[in-house]
Amino acid sequence: MKSGIHPEYGPVVFRDAGAGVAFLTRSTLRPEETVEWEDGRTYPVYDVDISSASHPFWTGRSRVLDSEGRVERFRRRYGQRGAEQ
């Protein structure tokens, strides 16, 4: 690697405020805010809006946005035009 062109890579805590979960990993982000982690050390913390702890895909609490289904909506909109021709 060339020296002086890569960002600093170090430990950062990512905190999901919605789920109340935090995890320690490594990143090139350098947030200003810090937090004391479980091991007693202080790490920079980055707040995220959504993570695997709160995302509907990973939690299984997905919402059904389309109750009719796409095929039924297509048939209602366009009918059987293709069969008539």
Side-chain angles (χ1 to χ4, degrees):
M1 285 194 325
K2 289 184 179 179
S3 61
I5 64 168
H6 299 285
E8 184 181 332
Y9 185 68
V12 176
V13 174
F14 286 89
R15 181 172 52 195
D16 185 350
V21 176
F23 54 93
L24 178 64
T25 187
R26 294 174 56 105
S27 177
T28 58
L29 291 174
R30 288 288 144 218
E32 298 296 323
E33 188 179 349
T34 60
V35 66
E36 186 175 333
W37 191 243
E38 300 163 353
D39 61 2
R41 296 182 182 172
T42 302
Y43 296 104
V45 63
Y46 186 79
D47 291 321
V48 294
D49 295 328
I50 196 161
S51 70
S52 60
S54 62
H55 193 280
F57 179 80
W58 299 106
T59 60
R61 294 179 290 162
S62 62
R63 296 179 295 167
V64 176
L65 298 176
D66 186 13
S67 61
E68 291 181 348
R70 293 179 184 213
V71 174
E72 292 302 319
R73 186 172 45 174
F74 178 83
R75 287 183 180 160
R76 186 182 72 233
R77 183 179 294 168
Y78 299 108
Q80 295 294 327
R81 292 182 193 171
E84 294 171 3
Q85 295 175 348

